[in-house]
Amino acid sequence: MIGGPDFLHSTEYILLDKCLNILECKVGHQMVLSLHQTCECCTSKGVQFCCNHTWIIMLYRLQSCLKYFALLGIVPWTETCGPCQYFQKIYSIFLMSINLVIFGMEIHIPQKDSLLLPLLVSAIVFIAKVLCMTVILLQMMCQYEGYYGLCKEFQRVRERLEVQLKMGALSYPRRRYIKIMFLGMASLGTIASLVYTSFIASLMYFWSSCVALIIIRLQCVLLLFYVDLMGFHVELLGKRIRDVLHCHSLGGNCVPDGNCKQLRSLEFLLELKQSHMEVFDLFSHFNDLFGWSILSIFVVMFMDGTVNIYWTQQVLAGVYGLVYLNATFSFSAPSLALIFAFCRCGEYCKRQQMLIGSYVRGLAYGTPSLQQSKEPAYTELLTEFTLQVEHNVLAINAEGFMVIDNSLLMSMFAAMVTYLIVLMQFSAS
């Protein structure tokens, strides 16, 4: 892990900047993730490189593990191997087709439950899951290059925070890893509970949507990781802008992390402005790449949570046996937990954006030392930076339909209550 001043000697970093064809390079026991192959000039300077001609760009060091999500079609397996991508597209089409065929066969099998409302609700929910899985796979099939472009943008932002701004961008908190891994494992664990329940009791349309359920939940966990990582980048950028504000407020000439570039310099302000623009590009690319997937996932999880809370009420009312209580909990609890976690991560990004805006406005209007210095170039650049922060909002947006934050969470919970009242009224009649 690289952090701050221990990154690289200046001459070595210049060499790395000249040959962006490197997959991995190691300096001592530290690792730098770069782009493609090795080169003689770096090897001759004592920087050891490990290269692979068919490289896979890493999302930090995790892409080597995330690529196994390609078994479900939600990430590409490789970038440069054309036949592998072609085979993965065929595999994704097979996953979509087999689910549609199984669901079509199962829907024609007579169900034991003769009530129209339960059959209708179950069919709608499971059709929505199959369609959501189709949207996820189709969006990834059509945007393999966009996915690797997103990984490269993550890398560029990380390198800028590490080198130009001297922030520890690789020191991603371990507790965040644990939180996301726990959500993923819990989601898969409840699916195992559903399989057990389906063997001892009849769950309508479960088997036809089992693969879709796994894909939806793991895609949600993967997107949750991306959003949390982007929020961490925004937090680091905000901390550095706050340092500049404090330096101006104190009237000092602070030096960050042993770097000769001063916090109050015009060059450092330009680096901050460019870093904010790169982070905004990262958010825009993420929203374009996964917007429809996020929208479909939220619709399905909203329906799943609402309907299974209704089934829980029916089980507790004695309409169905207690054996189904395990199934309703295994459906609803992970859906509600993932919705809550996703909205909280979106809210975290939104709050960090608001903090950045307050820091920049403080620089522009609340620092007497800056106003007394009367540097036209600095003042003009700061005005541009203020307008940039105001207009380029760092937020998770699902194709313009909704912004992922706490307000969405409360709206969904209010809608759940409304639909539960309607379902209970229909069941009572």
Side-chain angles (χ1 to χ4, degrees), residues 89 101 108 119 175 200 228 267 271 334 349 356 404 416:
K89 291 180 179 179
V101 170
H108 285 89
L119 290 174
R175 59 181 178 82
I200 62 176
D228 196 59
E267 291 79 9
E271 292 290 350
C349 295
I356 288 177
I404 311 300
M416 281 184 180

Side-chain angles (χ1 to χ4, degrees), residues 305-363:
T306 304
V307 169
N308 282 282
I309 291 175
Y310 165 72
W311 292 133
T312 303
Q313 183 269 334
Q314 294 289 293
V315 170
L316 296 177
V319 179
Y320 300 100
L322 290 176
V323 67
Y324 292 102
L325 191 61
N326 179 45
T328 58
F329 177 80
S330 298
F331 273 119
S332 60
S335 297
L336 297 176
L338 289 172
I339 287 175
F340 180 81
F342 211 119
C343 289
R344 290 296 297 169
C345 284
E347 179 69 18
Y348 179 74
C349 295
K350 181 179 177 181
R351 290 184 179 180
Q352 293 301 319
Q353 158 71 17
M354 294 173 64
L355 286 175
I356 288 177
S358 66
Y359 297 149
V360 175
R361 286 190 297 271
L363 279 172

Side-chain angles (χ1 to χ4, degrees), residues 14-16 18-19 38-47 49:
I14 292 173
L15 291 172
L16 289 178
K18 289 181 180 179
C19 54
T38 187
C39 76
E40 287 184 10
C41 62
C42 293
T43 307
S44 63
K45 295 293 182 180
V47 183
F49 297 109

Side-chain angles (χ1 to χ4, degrees), residues 225-243:
F225 168 70
Y226 294 150
V227 174
D228 196 59
L229 190 58
M230 289 191 296
F232 180 64
H233 284 120
V234 180
E235 179 187 3
L236 292 176
L237 179 60
K239 287 181 178 179
R240 185 52 84 202
I241 298 175
R242 183 189 61 190
D243 293 339

Side-chain angles (χ1 to χ4, degrees), residues 241 244-245 269-270 272-274 276-277 280 353-367 370-371 377-394:
I241 298 175
V244 176
L245 176 61
L269 181 63
L270 181 60
L272 290 173
K273 183 176 180 294
Q274 292 174 346
H276 182 272
M277 181 56 69
F280 174 73
Q353 158 71 17
M354 294 173 64
L355 286 175
I356 288 177
S358 66
Y359 297 149
V360 175
R361 286 190 297 271
L363 279 172
Y365 308 113
T367 52
L370 177 59
Q371 294 174 1
Y378 197 97
T379 304
E380 183 179 352
L381 182 61
L382 187 55
T383 302
E384 293 179 1
F385 192 15
T386 305
L387 293 175
Q388 175 180 305
V389 172
E390 293 290 339
H391 290 88
N392 297 340
V393 180
L394 307 178

